[in-house]
């Protein structure tokens, strides 16, 4: 395969591209259970917004960290998991920084054009969330390079991920209780997921001088970070489920079961290898959540 093509596949984490539209559409389908007005055209439009919007964020992440990623000493863990060809394409020279920036602006422009087709004020709300998410991603990537005594960058930075399904909800719905509950349900998951990623990539982050959770608090306390946010996530799940139907509740309960297994393995072993082994369980839980919520909208 052409090296440039391989580079673009790794730049966009193409093998996970199905996940972003599903997550975004779960918000839209939740809104249809409240407001009605479901249409296949709108579902397709929302899916495209989710796909191009999230992909733009991934490319932006690589562009911002392009110089720091040259210092990686382990590529057989997190890099290999997220990227089919196991490369950081910009530091590897497969994609130039200007090409990556052009991809970001291209994807962001497509996302903006699709958002503009939504009725007002939904178009404005979703656009503002998009701008916020890209801005906070830049803030997070830069701030975690600084010396921190408190994980301010992490706590603020991962609001972008938690707002992603909320933006899907706002494609049709209003900023109501359901939108808030989806956020408070998903935000602790995003924080636990961040802890797992940081635990896996601790060797690379240490040589880069990044103030990630294991660098700030050491590995044992990182495992408690993951466990603590998982517990908060479970508490918020019970609150969120009061607004959901049976398919969504079943999906959330099944997903929580996977997280229990993942946390048991992490707490028992307390190693980056153990975190890597259970990372698919976190992603499987997210898929179960979103598929259940989407099924709610149909049934």
């Amino acid at each position: 395969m052409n090296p440039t093509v391989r580079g673009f596949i790794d730049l966009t984490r193409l093998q996970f591209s199905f996940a972003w539209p599903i997550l975004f559409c779960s918000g839209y389908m939740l809104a249809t259970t409240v407001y009605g007005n479901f249409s296949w055209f709108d579902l397709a439009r929302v899916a495209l917004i989710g796909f191009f919007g999230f992909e733009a964020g991934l490319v932006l992440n690589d562009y911002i960290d392009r110089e720091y990623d040259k210092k990686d000493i382990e590529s057989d863990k997190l890099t290999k998991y997220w990227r089919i060809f196991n490369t950081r394409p910009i530091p590897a020279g497969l994609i130039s920084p200007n090409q990556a920036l052009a991809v970001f602006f291209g994807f962001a422009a497509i996302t903006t054009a699709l958002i503009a087709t939504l009725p007002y004020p939904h178009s404005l709300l979703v656009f503002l969330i998009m701008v916020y998410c890209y801005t906070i991603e830049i803030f997070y990537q830069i701030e975690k390079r600084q010396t921190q005594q408190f994980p301010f960058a992490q706590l603020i930075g991962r609001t972008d991920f938690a707002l992603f399904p909320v933006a899907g909800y706002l494609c049709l719905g209003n900023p109501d209780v359901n939108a808030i509950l989806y956020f408070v349900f998903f935000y602790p998951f995003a924080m636990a997921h961040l802890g797992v990623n940081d635990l896996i990539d601790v060797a690379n982050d240490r040589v880069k001088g990044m103030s990630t959770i294991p660098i700030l608090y050491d590995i044992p306390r990182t495992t408690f970070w993951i466990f603590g946010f998982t517990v908060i996530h479970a508490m918020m799940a019970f609150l969120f489920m009061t607004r959901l139907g049976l398919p969504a509740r079943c999906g959330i309960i099944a997903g929580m079961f996977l997280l229990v297994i993942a946390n048991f393995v992490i707490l028992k072993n307390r190693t980056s290898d153990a975190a890597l082994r259970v990372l698919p369980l976190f992603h499987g839980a997210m898929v179960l959540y979103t598929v259940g919520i989407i099924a709610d909208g149909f049934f």
Side-chain angles (χ1 to χ4, degrees):
M1 184 180 291
N2 183 282
T4 303
V5 174
R6 294 204 310 270
F8 278 113
I9 290 174
D10 276 355
L11 183 71
T12 56
R13 288 72 146 180
L14 195 61
Q15 76 273 31
F16 290 104
S17 61
F18 70 93
W20 324 132
I22 292 175
L23 179 58
F24 201 71
C25 287
S26 71
Y28 167 76
M29 292 304 294
L30 177 61
T32 65
T33 66
V34 180
Y35 297 94
N37 299 321
F38 168 83
S39 80
W40 288 103
F41 174 80
D42 284 341
L43 181 62
R45 174 169 55 178
V46 169
L48 288 173
I49 292 172
F51 172 78
F52 285 107
F54 204 97
E55 286 289 345
L58 292 175
V59 175
L60 179 63
N61 178 292
D62 274 16
Y63 177 79
I64 296 168
D65 267 356
R66 62 193 183 278
E67 295 299 326
Y68 284 80
D69 287 341
K70 294 177 180 178
K71 302 177 182 180
D72 279 1
I73 59 174
E74 287 185 343
S75 62
D76 61 334
K77 291 184 178 180
L78 203 59
T79 300
K80 185 176 181 180
Y81 179 85
W82 282 105
R83 305 166 197 264
I84 294 175
F85 299 106
N86 195 22
T87 63
R88 299 272 191 173
I90 303 177
L94 301 174
I95 303 294
S96 73
N98 287 340
Q99 286 175 318
L101 195 60
V103 172
F104 164 70
F105 281 119
F107 283 177
I110 293 171
T111 307
T112 301
L114 290 166
I115 291 172
T117 67
L118 297 171
Y120 181 86
H122 306 286
S123 55
L124 177 61
L125 293 172
V126 177
F127 176 75
L128 290 176
I129 289 178
M130 182 189 77
V131 172
Y132 170 83
C133 288
Y134 294 154
T135 303
I136 213 68
E137 178 67 21
I138 295 170
F139 163 80
Y140 168 63
Q141 293 300 113
I142 294 175
E143 189 65 20
K144 71 179 182 179
R145 302 171 190 167
Q146 316 304 317
T147 301
Q148 294 188 109
Q149 302 301 319
F150 182 78
F152 180 73
Q154 286 81 358
L155 293 171
I156 297 297
R158 288 305 85 182
T159 56
D160 60 353
F161 191 30
L163 281 170
F164 187 67
V166 176
Y169 183 88
L170 295 177
C171 288
L172 173 66
N174 297 318
D176 57 18
V177 173
N178 290 309
I180 295 171
L181 288 178
Y182 204 157
F183 178 82
V184 299
F185 161 72
F186 202 64
Y187 177 72
F189 175 86
M191 297 309 304
H193 180 265
L194 171 72
V196 176
N197 279 322
D198 283 355
L199 183 55
I200 296 168
D201 215 29
V202 62
N204 287 330
D205 289 335
R206 187 172 284 121
V207 299
K208 295 176 186 177
M210 299 286 190
S211 295
T212 59
I213 302 304
I215 306 301
L216 288 171
Y217 295 128
D218 70 37
I219 289 177
R221 281 184 284 184
T222 300
T223 64
F224 288 113
W225 168 287
I226 297 165
F227 175 73
F229 275 109
T230 301
V231 170
I232 297 171
H233 174 57
M235 295 168 60
M236 295 302 103
F238 284 109
L239 185 62
F240 187 39
M241 284 193 292
T242 62
R243 315 289 295 196
L244 303 175
L246 182 61
R249 292 179 184 181
C250 291
I252 289 176
I253 292 171
M256 291 303 306
F257 179 73
L258 294 184
L259 294 188
V260 169
I261 297 173
N263 273 269
F264 175 79
V265 173
I266 291 172
L267 287 169
K268 180 182 179 180
N269 295 278
R270 300 187 179 188
T271 64
S272 61
D273 287 335
L276 180 61
R277 288 200 304 271
V278 300
L279 183 58
L281 297 183
F282 275 82
H283 295 150
M286 188 181 75
V287 171
L288 288 171
Y289 296 161
T290 55
V291 169
I293 293 170
I294 289 171
D296 238 11
F298 285 116
F299 302 106

